[in-house]
Amino acid sequence: MFDFLDGYDVLGAFWMTVKLTALSAVGSLIWGTLLAAMRVSPVPLMRGFGTVYVNVVRNIPLTVIILFSSLGLADIFGMTMGSDDFAVQGFRLAVLSLVGYTAAFVCEAIRSGINTVPMGQAEAARAIGLSFSQTLTLIVLPQAFRSVIGPLANVLIALTKNTTVAAAIGVAEAAYLMKTMIENEAQTLLIGAVFAFGFVVLTLPTGLFLGWVSKRLAVKR
Amino acid sequence: MSSVLYDTPGPRAKRRNVLLSVVFTVLLALLVWWVWQKMDEKDQLTSALWKPFTESEAWTTYLLPGLENTLKAAALSMVIALPLGAVFGIARLSDHRWVRGAAGTVVEFFRAIPVLLLMLFANEFYARSTDVTSEDRPLYAVVTGLVLYNASVLAEVVRAGILSLPKGQTEAAYAIGLRKGQTMTSILLPQAVTAMLPAIVSQLVVIVKDTALGGVMLGFPELLNSRGTLAANYANVIPSFIVVAVMFIVLNFILTSFASWLERYLRRSKRSTGAVLGVEKVDDLNAAEVGGSYGTGAGGGGI
């Protein structure tokens, strides 16, 4: 029944999806936290930059960003991302685009988490003489992170699904393989089911696990 | 000027802020200069590349028809997905376990898989099993993909809207002798729709952005796809990307602003007893149970 899978590296394609997701998740968590710190900082210029970045990037389709990274950054500006290999280049450009895009959503999630931290916490921190960066990194962010695991899990799941857009620049992940298979094989329905199942397997446990974690870690107030 | 995190600055803090501003400005200026330099180096700033956008031909032949197709696909998807979403949202609240379970499975399934897979599958399905002409097929496939995904997201929004209504509404409706269906259609749904209008409008942004997938993967002649044709004609890759990105930003910014205006307007007018579901809520709602407990399964924000 599943003979049509012969000759296709389905697991390899999903492994690519996982790699894209993991690298982009780490990158966007770092960049998104920095953006969130900028957006709440006392320096108006940084706040302005953060606001503009988030609002601009959120309103551009990810497809446009990823395609631009390939046709614009790589072809025109010659940004090779430290590799001559076309496949590696595509992968790194896709990660770069996904980080840039997802960070905007991570930033918004963390910012909403910062708003859940009670005023008194920061006031107490300032009262014992902590500076802005100390207040943020020692008092506010740790509490904010614990309260936004749920929303961040949503961003992570959306990121997992968004990695399929990398197929647009030829990164050999799941959607790319599905497109090839669906064009060459007759069992459209079964192929669709296999790939749909793959994504359910990737996203469902993530959602359930992080949902459980967010309940465990939520700051009880 | 003060917030949770910092006091109104004193003399030392003011000095430090000025210093930080200067450093940040310099860094930002360096970045802009570097980008400018790079663009100049690759001859992307020559007026010839930008000139097409000042003439009507580039707009009437490429960009505006592309925009029209983007809007057409987005509008069609919204119009079809909304009633479908309402049906599934209501079905998830059904008293009968098998209706509830079936609707829940369908909704969770279509939220868990990427829109792109749905589009690719729909495209192939239409090619093999129906006699949709090959010109129409991309539009059909894009709309099908978007409808399946967004109907399930909207189902959650509708469900959240209905659950946000006070229990007294249902009880009062039963007290005056309305049946279950009547209560839903004439009491609960109208109020729920009002409460979730902002969330529905902001879901449109997600739909508009996702139409671009059809342009790249299925050859649907929407805005991003028209950019390709345009750039092939005028050889202006970077400028065309910038113009198209700005068009998307403006379009989506209008939608976002409209959604927040609507939210404020509905809050003010206070015609319903239910809470207004905020624009930001829509991301959370995608995977969240109402009341803020997350992780019912694979959802993921509509981002």
Side-chain angles (χ1 to χ4, degrees), chain B residues 14-35:
Chain B
K14 265 186 189 147
R15 265 205 307 279
R16 203 179 52 227
N17 286 353
V18 168
L19 187 74
L20 272 172
S21 303
V22 170
V23 170
F24 193 70
T25 316
V26 170
L27 285 176
L28 214 56
L30 272 176
L31 183 75
V32 171
W33 181 78
W34 180 73
V35 170

Side-chain angles (χ1 to χ4, degrees), chain A residues 40 43 45 47 58-59 76 101 105 122 126 154 157-158 161 164 168 179 182 185-186 188-189 196 203-204, chain B residues 4-7 21 25 42 44 111 113 116-117 121 124 128 209 216-217 227 238 252 287 298-301 303:
Chain A
V40 297
V43 183
L45 205 70
R47 283 207 305 271
R58 269 204 311 186
N59 285 326
I76 304 280
Y101 181 77
F105 295 91
R126 286 207 309 270
N154 287 349
I157 289 168
K161 294 189 286 178
T164 52
K179 189 172 158 64
I182 221 168
E185 303 292 322
T188 321
L189 204 63
T203 54
L204 204 66
Chain B
V4 195
L5 291 162
Y6 48 86
D7 268 319
S21 303
T25 316
K42 306 283 175 188
Q44 290 301 316
R111 270 168 52 202
I113 50 181
L116 181 55
L117 293 197
F121 181 80
E124 201 60 25
R128 290 186 188 197
K209 289 199 292 185
V216 179
M217 300 299 284
R227 183 218 66 84
I238 305 285
N252 288 334
I303 69 175

Side-chain angles (χ1 to χ4, degrees), chain B residues 2 21 23 29 35 37 46 51 98-99 102 106 119 135 190 192 202 210 248 258 271-272 275 277 281 283 298:
Chain B
S2 82
S21 303
V23 170
V35 170
Q37 200 73 357
T46 47
K51 201 155 167 280
W98 60 273
V99 176
V106 169
M119 284 184 189
E135 297 107 75
S202 59
D210 280 348
F248 269 115
F258 177 63
R271 275 183 39 216
S272 87
L277 292 181
K281 265 284 189 292
D283 295 343

Side-chain angles (χ1 to χ4, degrees), chain B residues 89-103:
Chain B
I90 293 170
R92 283 201 83 170
L93 294 167
S94 164
D95 288 339
H96 309 287
R97 186 181 295 162
W98 60 273
V99 176
R100 212 164 53 214

Side-chain angles (χ1 to χ4, degrees), chain B residues 217-239:
Chain B
M217 300 299 284
L218 308 174
F220 175 54
E222 49 70 72
L223 196 48
L224 182 59
N225 194 317
S226 324
R227 183 218 66 84
T229 337
L230 182 135
N233 254 348
Y234 297 102
N236 53 354
V237 176
I238 305 285

Side-chain angles (χ1 to χ4, degrees), chain B residues 199-219:
Chain B
I200 292 172
V201 174
S202 59
Q203 188 63 26
L204 257 174
V205 174
V206 178
I207 299 182
V208 167
K209 289 199 292 185
D210 280 348
T211 54
L213 278 172
V216 179
M217 300 299 284
L218 308 174

Side-chain angles (χ1 to χ4, degrees), chain B:
Chain B
M1 183 193 72
S2 82
S3 83
V4 195
L5 291 162
Y6 48 86
D7 268 319
T8 311
R12 245 186 75 205
K14 265 186 189 147
R15 265 205 307 279
R16 203 179 52 227
N17 286 353
V18 168
L19 187 74
L20 272 172
S21 303
V22 170
V23 170
F24 193 70
T25 316
V26 170
L27 285 176
L28 214 56
L30 272 176
L31 183 75
V32 171
W33 181 78
W34 180 73
V35 170
W36 192 264
Q37 200 73 357
K38 212 62 182 159
M39 284 188 58
D40 200 24
E41 201 179 293
K42 306 283 175 188
D43 291 328
Q44 290 301 316
L45 292 173
T46 47
S47 56
L49 295 186
W50 292 89
K51 201 155 167 280
F53 299 112
T54 60
E55 290 156 2
S56 63
E57 202 200 325
W59 292 91
T60 49
T61 332
Y62 306 103
L63 295 176
L64 291 181
L67 183 65
E68 192 197 327
N69 276 329
T70 294
L71 292 176
K72 190 162 81 181
L76 269 177
S77 312
M78 197 64 178
V79 168
I80 303 172
L82 198 52
L84 207 62
V87 169
F88 275 99
I90 293 170
R92 283 201 83 170
L93 294 167
S94 164
D95 288 339
H96 309 287
R97 186 181 295 162
W98 60 273
V99 176
R100 212 164 53 214
T105 314
V106 169
V107 167
E108 292 295 341
F109 177 75
F110 283 114
R111 270 168 52 202
I113 50 181
V115 196
L116 181 55
L117 293 197
L118 294 174
M119 284 184 189
L120 289 174
F121 181 80
N123 192 41
E124 201 60 25
F125 177 78
Y126 286 132
R128 290 186 188 197
S129 316
T130 60
D131 45 6
V132 179
T133 57
S134 55
E135 297 107 75
D136 287 342
R137 209 184 300 135
L139 176 68
Y140 275 61
V142 167
V143 172
T144 310
L146 288 175
V147 162
L148 290 178
Y149 176 71
N150 289 291
S152 41
V153 172
L154 288 171
E156 292 299 275
V157 176
V158 170
R159 190 165 75 109
I162 292 172
L163 287 176
S164 76
L165 295 173
K167 215 168 158 29
Q169 297 285 331
T170 321
E171 285 162 1
Y174 286 155
I176 59 170
L178 294 185
R179 273 178 277 116
K180 233 166 36 183
Q182 287 174 318
T183 307
M184 188 55 82
T185 50
S186 50
I187 307 288
L188 296 181
L189 203 54
Q191 295 188 67
V193 167
T194 323
M196 69 215 177
L197 260 183
I200 292 172
V201 174
S202 59
Q203 188 63 26
L204 257 174
V205 174
V206 178
I207 299 182
V208 167
K209 289 199 292 185
D210 280 348
T211 54
L213 278 172
V216 179
M217 300 299 284
L218 308 174
F220 175 54
E222 49 70 72
L223 196 48
L224 182 59
N225 194 317
S226 324
R227 183 218 66 84
T229 337
L230 182 135
N233 254 348
Y234 297 102
N236 53 354
V237 176
I238 305 285
S240 64
F241 261 115
I242 294 176
V243 169
V244 164
V246 169
M247 285 174 77
F248 269 115
I249 293 169
V250 170
L251 177 62
N252 288 334
F253 188 74
I254 293 171
L255 286 173
T256 317
S257 313
F258 177 63
S260 8
W261 173 83
L262 201 62
E263 193 184 339
R264 278 201 307 278
Y265 176 79
L266 291 175
R267 280 238 167 87
R268 223 177 26 237
S269 63
K270 279 197 182 124
R271 275 183 39 216
S272 87
T273 42
V276 176
L277 292 181
V279 174
E280 286 88 26
K281 265 284 189 292
V282 76
D283 295 343
D284 301 344
L285 279 175
N286 283 333
E289 282 273 58
V290 184
S293 64
Y294 297 95
T296 45
I303 69 175

Side-chain angles (χ1 to χ4, degrees), chain A:
Chain A
M1 183 182 170
F2 287 101
D3 320 333
F4 63 89
L5 289 175
D6 294 344
Y8 294 100
D9 189 10
V10 178
L11 282 181
F14 271 107
W15 176 234
M16 184 63 104
T17 300
V18 172
K19 275 197 295 185
L20 273 175
T21 310
L23 283 176
S24 314
V26 173
S28 54
L29 192 63
I30 296 169
W31 178 220
T33 311
L34 278 175
L35 277 173
M38 278 190 207
R39 286 204 74 174
V40 297
S41 82
V43 183
L45 205 70
M46 287 184 176
R47 283 207 305 271
F49 173 78
T51 314
V52 169
Y53 182 93
V54 167
N55 283 319
V56 164
V57 170
R58 269 204 311 186
N59 285 326
I60 305 179
L62 175 63
T63 325
V64 172
I65 298 177
I66 286 198
L67 208 62
F68 175 78
S69 75
S70 175
L71 297 178
L73 291 181
D75 291 358
I76 304 280
F77 292 122
M79 217 163 121
T80 52
M81 301 296 285
S83 170
D84 297 330
D85 185 8
F86 186 73
V88 179
Q89 215 179 16
F91 176 78
R92 291 183 184 166
L93 285 170
V95 171
L96 183 74
S97 316
L98 284 165
V99 167
Y101 181 77
T102 316
F105 295 91
V106 172
C107 168
E108 286 306 89
I110 292 178
R111 206 167 62 100
S112 74
I114 290 176
N115 289 336
T116 66
V117 179
M119 200 71 149
Q121 297 276 336
E123 279 168 357
R126 286 207 309 270
I128 59 167
L130 298 188
S131 67
F132 168 75
S133 50
Q134 281 173 323
T135 315
L136 190 66
T137 52
L138 294 174
I139 310 289
V140 176
L141 272 186
Q143 296 187 57
F145 266 117
R146 284 170 64 173
S147 68
V148 293
I149 293 174
L152 281 182
N154 287 349
V155 174
L156 178 64
I157 289 168
L159 171 66
T160 313
K161 294 189 286 178
N162 277 340
T163 55
T164 52
V165 183
I169 59 169
V171 178
E173 45 69 64
Y176 190 79
L177 183 65
M178 172 170 159
K179 189 172 158 64
T180 322
M181 282 177 74
I182 221 168
E183 275 160 9
N184 298 336
E185 303 292 322
Q187 294 90 336
T188 321
L189 204 63
L190 269 180
I191 295 171
V194 165
F195 281 92
F197 176 73
F199 273 95
V200 172
V201 165
L202 282 182
T203 54
L204 204 66
T206 317
L208 291 175
F209 174 69
L210 288 175
W212 175 77
V213 171
S214 83
K215 267 188 209 124
R216 278 291 304 262
L217 290 186
V219 185
K220 305 282 187 300
R221 294 204 169 94

